[in-house]
Amino acid sequence: MKQLRETDSQFNKDNWPNLCYEQRCLLYGGYKRFYEEYPEHCTQNGGYISMFDDQFDTELAQEREQESKSWEKKPLGPAQKKPSLNIFKKKNNPNQ
């Protein structure tokens, strides 16, 4: 949620305080659970359809492919690099 707000703010930096996503919420259990508990508040055009439904196979495969490609291109930042083994040396041992 924080990343969405930061991206939205950055996108609209020249149009502040306007945002693309002024109101947003996180649904506990996701939309599926919300639909099961409060169907009267949901669009009733066919009911809830899981994102893993067969009709979305092609789109899901494309999204996963794009996601894996984006991870391949990202270099590791300082916080993501493996720690130096020097941090595991004992402080009291002068030979290390």
Side-chain angles (χ1 to χ4, degrees):
M1 295 289 275
K2 182 179 178 182
Q3 184 179 7
L4 175 62
R5 175 60 79 205
E6 289 173 355
T7 302
D8 196 12
S9 296
Q10 183 63 31
F11 181 79
N12 288 291
K13 66 182 177 185
D14 296 330
N15 197 23
W16 189 86
N18 295 330
L19 298 171
C20 297
Y21 303 99
E22 293 180 26
Q23 296 181 357
R24 67 200 194 293
C25 61
L26 182 63
L27 298 173
Y28 178 76
Y31 183 74
K32 178 182 180 184
R33 182 171 179 202
F34 181 82
Y35 180 82
E36 290 170 349
E37 292 186 22
Y38 307 100
E40 68 275 9
H41 296 292
C42 303
T43 304
Q44 297 294 325
N45 58 354
Y48 173 79
I49 301 172
S50 169
M51 66 184 231
F52 300 108
D53 191 86
D54 292 342
Q55 66 181 308
F56 302 120
D57 282 351
T58 303
E59 186 177 354
L60 182 60
Q62 290 171 347
E63 289 294 326
R64 286 184 173 165
E65 183 179 341
Q66 289 297 325
E67 184 177 319
S68 67
K69 286 180 181 179
S70 70
W71 279 102
E72 290 171 7
K73 294 178 184 178
K74 291 183 182 178
L76 290 176
Q80 296 171 314
K81 291 183 179 175
K82 292 181 180 178
S84 167
L85 293 178
N86 293 335
I87 64 170
F88 298 110
K89 290 183 179 180
K90 293 181 181 177
K91 292 181 181 179
N92 298 332
N93 188 341
N95 295 328
Q96 290 186 341

